[in-house]
């Protein structure tokens, strides 16, 4: 994992961050390692966007997931762009609204034994609304407090795209000191996805 960025472009608090991640997969023979998942992210953010007490962020990414085993999974490539607005509502609570476009190119057709064509590229357009209440005193080494996040996603519909679904998810983390040098941490996560609309027609795509 590597990261590079600038925290104060033009002395206006504008931040630019680029990150890169690359995994290595080992087989039964440690000397035959393979390149694993790869992802590149870049984003620029600005506080007080348009003079409002709201942070705006524009980002883009590209990822590549190689095939692990022939016949059981498939390689995948994806790229996308995001735009989000974030605002502090109270001392501990914040809300955000985001838009994302994700285009996926996969080789799932190689796993099919059917003569019917299979869609190998698709795009997802989604809107994401989330709220967070964070009372942790130290974000990097929390010993006391809690963090509760709720998220609602809607993909497709009026936004178009190849997929149509609604997703509700949430997580809660609790931190309490236990003794002098120990911390008790509890975390729970959950979610629900509901597809809607018509099933898109399946068409073959040559890569």
């Amino acid at each position: 994992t590597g990261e590079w960025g600038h925290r104060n472009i033009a002395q206006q608090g504008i931040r630019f961050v680029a990150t890169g991640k690359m995994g290595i997969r080992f087989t039964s023979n440690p000397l035959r390692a393979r390149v694993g998942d790869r992802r590149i992210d870049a984003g620029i953010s600005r506080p007080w966007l348009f003079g409002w007490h709201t942070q705006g962020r524009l980002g883009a990414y590209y990822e590549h997931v190689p095939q692990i085993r022939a016949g059981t999974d498939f390689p995948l490539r994806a790229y996308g762009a995001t735009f989000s607005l974030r605002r502090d509502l109270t001392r501990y609570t914040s809300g955000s609204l985001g838009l994302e476009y994700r285009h996926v190119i996969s080789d799932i057709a190689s796993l099919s034994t059917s003569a019917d064509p299979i869609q190998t590229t698709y795009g997802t357009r989604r809107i994401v609304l989330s709220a967070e209440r964070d009372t942790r005193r130290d974000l990097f080494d929390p010993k006391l407090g809690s963090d509760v996040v709720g998220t609602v996603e809607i993909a497709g519909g009026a936004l178009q795209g190849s997929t149509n679904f609604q997703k509700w998810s949430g997580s809660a983390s609790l931190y309490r000191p236990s003794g002098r040098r120990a911390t008790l941490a509890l975390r729970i996560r959950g979610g629900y996805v509901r597809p809607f609309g018509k099933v898109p027609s399946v068409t073959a795509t040559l890569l």
Side-chain angles (χ1 to χ4, degrees), residues 8-199:
N8 191 16
I9 299 177
Q11 298 183 351
Q12 295 184 9
I14 301 175
R15 296 186 178 185
F16 175 81
V17 178
T19 60
K21 300 178 182 179
M22 184 179 70
I24 299 178
R25 293 175 175 172
F26 294 94
T27 60
S28 57
N29 185 355
L31 299 179
R32 298 182 60 183
R34 298 180 180 179
V35 176
D37 300 359
R38 287 158 283 176
R39 181 178 174 108
I40 299 175
D41 290 84
I44 185 169
S45 61
R46 178 171 185 171
W48 293 92
L49 187 65
F50 304 126
W52 303 338
H53 185 45
T54 302
Q55 181 188 68
R57 185 182 186 278
L58 180 65
Y61 63 87
Y62 173 82
E63 62 178 327
H64 183 201
V65 181
Q67 187 176 31
I68 303 176
R69 296 180 180 178
T72 59
D73 58 14
F74 52 90
L76 179 148
R77 290 174 292 154
Y79 60 86
T82 60
F83 175 73
S84 62
L85 299 172
R86 182 182 182 276
R87 182 182 179 92
D88 292 331
L89 304 177
T90 65
R91 179 180 178 183
Y92 299 110
T93 306
S94 63
S96 64
L97 176 66
L99 297 172
E100 178 185 3
Y101 173 74
R102 176 180 174 87
H103 185 78
V104 177
I105 306 171
S106 65
D107 291 337
I108 191 173
S110 62
L111 303 180
S112 176
T113 58
S114 172
D116 296 333
I118 294 181
Q119 184 178 14
T120 56
T121 64
Y122 62 90
T124 300
R125 302 173 183 176
R126 73 181 74 192
I127 183 171
V128 182
L129 178 64
S130 64
E132 179 179 14
R133 179 173 174 80
D134 190 353
T135 61
R136 294 174 295 176
R137 297 184 179 181
D138 189 335
L139 300 181
F140 300 99
D141 186 20
K143 299 182 181 299
L144 181 65
S146 63
D147 183 26
V148 179
V149 181
T151 303
V152 177
E153 300 181 28
I154 300 177
L159 300 176
Q160 302 299 317
S162 304
T163 56
N164 299 274
F165 65 86
Q166 297 173 349
K167 178 181 178 181
W168 296 268
S169 61
S171 65
S173 303
L174 178 66
Y175 304 89
R176 289 291 182 269
S178 178
R180 282 181 149 183
R181 299 183 179 180
T183 302
L184 175 64
L186 302 175
R187 186 179 187 187
I188 184 173
R189 297 178 61 186
Y192 174 75
V193 178
R194 185 181 73 86
F196 66 91
K198 297 181 180 180
V199 178

